[in-house]
Every structure is written in structure tokens, then in C-alpha cells.
Amino acid sequence: MWQRFNNFISSLTTYRALSPDLRVRRQVNQRLRRRPALSVEQWFETFYQPQGMTYSVVAFAYQQLPLYSGLDIARVLPDDHLYEDLCWAQVCWFDWQLNLCEDFCHHFGIEESDSLALSDCLEKTTLFTIRDLIALLNTYGVRSLGC
């Protein structure tokens, strides 16, 4: 009986450590509310089209990043720092990178084995801003899909 109780307590502790910090997420979203919310088309045309990014990749990021972070991506600027401004490590689930890679490959019909290559790339690359993250996805998507 004690073993089951200890396992339960351990599970709760682990779950809390791997879960997003909802208080931090609320604080970041409150700061973002001061900015206008852009549609995906506005977000793309304003920030990413001038840099030669692919619409389908930017639209994917616009749609998926809120699922991992809980942040209002429509209000996020390309130069927002993932960790300093958006507290990315605190607001996302611990496995957001793995989910992003799997979702990206599934969405674009890329071989599942390439999901691991993208995951490795994410781990090895220093991402500072949202623009860095989207540029990495765009580069990977162009290389894999010939977009």
C-alpha cells in the first residue's frame, strides 16, 4: 500500500515538473494583450514574407505554437526572445520540441524518420527568437518539401 502511495506522490511531483507554469503563462499573455492581434495573413505579410519565408510554414507555426505554449501567437513579434520575453521553457510542456517535430512532419507529409532529424536540428541550433524558430522550420520545410 505504501508503494502505491509513494508512486502516486512521485507521479504528481513529476507531472508538476513537466507541466507548464500557468501563472507565468498568464503573465506573458497579459503583456502580449497590449499588442494588436494579427491574422495569419497579416502576420505573414508583415513579418515573414519580406524575408522570403514560405506561407504554409508560417501558417503552421501560427496555428501550432499556441498549442505548445498557450500563448497568443497572433500578438507575438518576430524579435520576441523565446526564453527572456516569452518564458518559453516555463510556458510549454517539457516535450514541446518533440511534438512540434512530429506535427510538422505529419502536417507536411514528411517521412517520420525525418522528424528525428528535425528534432536533432532543433536541439543543436541556438534559437533566440520566434523568427529563429520559424526560419529553422522554413529551412527544413524547403529542404524536405522543395517549397
Side-chain angles (χ1 to χ4, degrees):
M1 179 164 149
W2 282 110
Q3 183 63 32
R4 285 178 47 173
F5 179 74
N6 286 337
N7 286 342
F8 176 74
I9 296 299
S10 178
S11 295
L12 288 177
T13 304
T14 302
Y15 182 78
R16 189 173 354 158
L18 302 177
S19 299
D21 186 327
L22 299 179
R23 182 184 56 78
V24 172
R25 185 184 279 179
R26 264 191 311 277
Q27 289 172 346
V28 173
N29 274 321
Q30 283 176 343
R31 285 195 310 266
L32 291 174
R33 279 192 202 114
R34 297 180 197 138
R35 301 175 179 175
L38 302 178
S39 69
V40 65
E41 290 82 12
Q42 292 169 319
W43 208 56
F44 173 72
E45 290 170 3
T46 304
F47 302 126
Y48 299 102
Q49 187 176 28
Q51 296 188 4
M53 304 254 187
T54 307
Y55 178 81
S56 59
V57 172
V58 173
F60 170 83
Y62 183 93
Q63 180 181 27
Q64 291 299 120
L65 293 179
L67 300 178
Y68 313 126
S69 67
L71 298 180
D72 187 358
I73 295 299
R75 299 174 190 276
V76 170
L77 302 175
D79 291 329
D80 283 338
H81 287 87
L82 288 167
Y83 299 101
E84 291 86 6
D85 300 326
L86 302 175
C87 305
W88 206 254
Q90 293 167 286
V91 301
C92 292
W93 285 91
F94 82 99
D95 59 351
W96 75 270
Q97 289 176 317
L98 212 60
N99 290 328
L100 172 66
C101 296
E102 289 173 0
D103 293 344
F104 185 84
C105 290
H106 178 75
H107 182 81
F108 290 105
I110 300 171
E111 293 287 324
E112 194 166 317
S113 60
D114 288 337
S115 174
L116 295 175
L118 178 57
S119 180
D120 286 344
C121 194
L122 265 174
E123 284 182 26
K124 292 176 186 173
T125 304
T126 303
L127 301 174
F128 294 107
T129 64
I130 285 288
R131 178 180 295 137
D132 294 339
L133 176 58
I134 294 175
L136 176 71
L137 293 174
N138 190 71
T139 300
Y140 191 82
V142 167
R143 190 175 61 226
S144 297
L145 300 170
C147 297

